[in-house]
Amino acid sequence: MATVLISLGLIAVVALIVRSMYNDKKNGKSCHCGANCGACTKGCHSQK
Amino acid sequence: MKIALAGNPNSGKTTLFNVLTGSNQFVGNWPGVTVEKKEGKLKGHKGISVIDLPGIYSLSPYTPEEVITRKFLLEEQPDVILNIVDGTNLERNLYLTTQLLELGIPLVLAVNMGDVLAKSGDNIDYAKLGKALGCQVVAISALKGTGIKEMVDEVLAVGRENKLHSIMHKYSGSVEHTLAHIEEALLHDLPLNQQRWYAIKIFEQDELVMQKFQAFGAELEHIKKDIAECEKEMDDDAESIIIAERYSFIEKVIKDCLRRTGKSKMSTSDKIDRIVTNRFLALPIFAVIMTAVYYISVTTVGTWVTDWTNDVLFEEIIPPAIESFLVAVGCAPLLQSLILDGIVAGVGAVLGFVPQILVLFIFLAFLESCGYMARIAFIMDRIFRRFGLSGKSFIPMLIGTGCGIPGIMASRTIENTRDRRMTIMTTTFIPCGAKLPFIALMAGAVFGGAWWVAPSAYFMGIAAIICSGIILKKTKMFAGEVAPFVMELPAYHWPTVGNVLRSMWERGWSFIKKAGTIILLSTIVIWFLSGFGFTDQGFGVTDDINQSLLAAVGSAFAVIFAPLGWGSWEYSVATIGGLVAKENIVATLGIIFGFAEVAEDGVEIWGLLGAQLTVVSGYSFLIFNLLCAPCFAAMGAIRREMNNGKWTAFAIGYQCAFAYFVAFTINQLGNLFLFGTFGIGTVIALIALVGFVYLLVRKSPEEKLEKTAAKLIAE
């Protein structure tokens, strides 16, 4: 039972990560610059 | 309502944008920080957008930033222009103001850095300035947040009333006469408020505006005759007439509104610059500062905290706690392995280096905010110029210290296509923040925490840029005149603690977030590949990692890296994993070497990694991963900026080939000098080194041409 619950939790976490990455990409915020996404001048705000 | 922030580069627009919108946009002390417009919502006011436009000196479309700003102002017609001017450089900043005032859009002038000016003893009479320019003027300090409320109130009032300022600047009779002719002949269909700006641009024969009025064939020809007559009368060309008249107007305004006390002939900034940018001292000072930054971040302060996170938090506290929980609830062993040996080992290995990264980010934020980073570009320009490169190329590299992607994008400010391409190709040689955990890992595990490893990684990046610049500039593809580099050095100032901490947290949080997303997903894939494989019983779980799928994939590539001294599958896999994100190198090694497990013999976990590599092969591994192709996201940025598949492939191919050459030479010659190993590889490395030196010192096509020309003249 614990294995099933933990597995489900893990699947949910992975699904949320994939969803957030997909949304970021869709919104033009897909640059995975590890250090400084704030520095990204990709103009995400203007590319709507 | 739309409020457009416009002003000269480095006048404080992005700082003000952050204050107004509550965003955390990157603020830099050098031009080119904003290469595209950014939009945000005015804090505390619904339905009001603030647009941060790239910094420009004029509305002539000479640079990409000028084109973006001008296009936005003309086509999107914001409700108010908030023109930010640097109070310490009023004369130069007002040049743009005179042009913005002619656009026919309500304008509020915000004089920034008035406090800095006051310190020098000079004073601006803001009421007189407003009267002279015909618009509302407010004094602010974007950094300290003073005068912001008054400014916002003023901007909103002007925007709501659509209150257009009066045009105070009148040109000389002959010019005004011609402008009136232009308005009458060509512009009568345009809204009244826009006519003057277009008339002036037509007078200047601005190419883009002229194209718009090509249809007016006969009228345009007639107008051109008028302009020619005016030029004859004024004995100058149209563009110069306008420029000269603008400056004489500004001179008059300054004379009336700025009281100079002449208290100090040389400011503190000037005094510091006499030493910091000194011809002989500049480079050693730069080297000492950057060495100290990396030494403190990676070796001392950063390491003390990182040792705790690595050895205690992610070894003695978190993994045992999770393990006890999983055992207690009866979780299946395979799932336990995925969580402990995969996710905790991989993500924990990366997160363990967060303290070091935060310390580095504090230093970088401080150097950027106080104005020193801008000096580095100026210092590097002197060196770069000697090798045919422009200092402009160094600005993307400065930005790239945080992350390669904005660095690559900042290359847009370089007008010359050849120089821009070359900068895009070399920007990622500078170690970005994502590479720091890897540098710290190697410095600790292989070099016993030697102080020189982290600074050497930084300087190796700079050396790679300079050498690549020299070599590439001598090829036909990149040969050409060096672009001029003009840059304003901001006055030194103490950054506010809040700004430094905000900048550090912004960058650090992105790093942590990334560890929780893409790195976490990668660790699951790596765990699967390292735990499953083909054994005698067929495909399934394997306890021997050497039989895993990961080992099989790594072994296929290992042969390529063998001449570099680390031809073992573990390192090949880590290198390939690094292409997803550079932190993945650490995460992959963490899973492979069992970061979350406590070694039975008590040997430090990362010590297992260190035992496999010698100092030579370890350094070769480090340098290859620092110089080779960046992560996929950065490769995407290269593709976007190059806008050409072939150039992208060439850039990535060059980076990999250069990294391979450097790592190969380090390994072969390092083994020769340190361990006396001599073989066929040593011979090839020596030949490659001779070839490399030849490429560095050979004459460029221009030098050859000049020599031939000189010979012919002599004959």
Side-chain angles (χ1 to χ4, degrees), chain B residues 97-269:
Chain B
T97 308
T98 58
Q99 299 192 7
L100 294 173
L101 285 165
E102 286 160 355
L103 277 170
I105 301 169
L107 181 143
V108 173
L109 189 78
V111 182
N112 194 15
M113 306 182 214
D115 49 331
V116 181
L117 182 78
K119 264 188 196 167
S120 70
D122 295 347
N123 261 310
I124 298 172
D125 187 331
Y126 295 103
K128 267 192 180 175
L129 184 64
K131 218 172 167 189
L133 295 171
C135 64
Q136 299 297 328
V137 177
V138 273
I140 61 157
S141 169
L143 198 68
K144 292 181 182 165
T146 53
I148 304 295
K149 196 189 167 297
E150 294 79 358
M151 180 197 74
V152 170
D153 290 345
E154 201 61 66
V155 169
L156 294 180
V158 168
R160 280 190 191 121
E161 290 167 31
N162 196 18
K163 204 165 76 186
L164 199 58
H165 48 267
S166 7
I167 300 281
M168 303 305 284
H169 176 211
K170 300 280 181 232
Y171 295 93
S172 56
S174 174
V175 179
E176 286 293 342
H177 181 80
T178 317
L179 293 179
H181 263 222
I182 297 171
E183 284 175 21
E184 201 183 317
L186 303 172
L187 307 171
H188 45 78
D189 287 341
L190 278 180
L192 206 64
N193 57 339
Q194 293 181 20
Q195 290 186 4
R196 187 166 178 84
W197 187 81
Y198 276 104
I200 295 166
K201 284 292 142 191
I202 291 172
F203 182 81
E204 288 179 312
Q205 308 202 28
D206 179 292
E207 261 180 54
L208 294 180
V209 173
M210 291 301 265
Q211 276 168 17
K212 210 174 163 179
F213 292 93
Q214 278 310 320
F216 289 83
E219 290 96 329
L220 202 60
E221 283 314 307
H222 175 74
I223 288 300
K224 278 182 182 170
K225 273 182 202 160
D226 275 356
I227 298 169
E229 271 171 33
C230 180
E231 284 179 327
K232 203 175 164 191
E233 194 184 322
M234 307 281 288
D235 196 21
D236 211 341
D237 66 278
E239 207 178 346
S240 304
I241 294 168
I242 296 289
I243 293 172
E245 295 218 2
R246 280 191 206 284
Y247 273 116
S248 50
F249 170 70
I250 292 166
E251 207 175 298
K252 196 179 161 295
V253 171
I254 297 272
K255 207 175 156 190
D256 293 343
C257 309
L258 181 67
R259 265 176 256 127
R260 293 185 205 272
T261 57
K263 201 165 84 181
S264 89
K265 279 174 195 157
M266 195 182 240
S267 66
T268 315
S269 274

Side-chain angles (χ1 to χ4, degrees), chain B residues 301-315:
Chain B
V301 181
T303 304
W304 300 331
V305 196
T306 290
D307 279 352
W308 182 83
T309 48
N310 271 342
D311 301 342
V312 181
L313 188 67
F314 285 109
E315 219 175 271

Side-chain angles (χ1 to χ4, degrees), chain A residues 40-43, chain B residues 35-36 404-413 637 640-641:
Chain A
C40 178
T41 45
K42 200 164 168 252
Chain B
V35 288
E36 277 187 10
I405 296 167
I408 291 163
M409 298 185 72
S411 62
R412 271 182 215 180
T413 53
R640 280 195 302 274
E641 294 308 312

Side-chain angles (χ1 to χ4, degrees), chain B residues 40 66 73 123 244 265 348 383 391 405 411 421 493 602 631 649 658:
Chain B
E66 284 171 351
L73 293 173
N123 261 310
K265 279 174 195 157
I383 304 161
I405 296 167
S411 62
R421 281 183 181 146
H493 60 85
C631 62
F658 188 82

Side-chain angles (χ1 to χ4, degrees), chain B residues 73 115-116 270 286-288 341 391 414 478 489-490 493 510 514 643:
Chain B
L73 293 173
D115 49 331
V116 181
D270 295 336
F286 171 55
V288 168
D341 307 333
I414 302 168
F478 295 97
L489 295 181
H493 60 85
S510 299
K514 199 174 157 193
N643 201 20

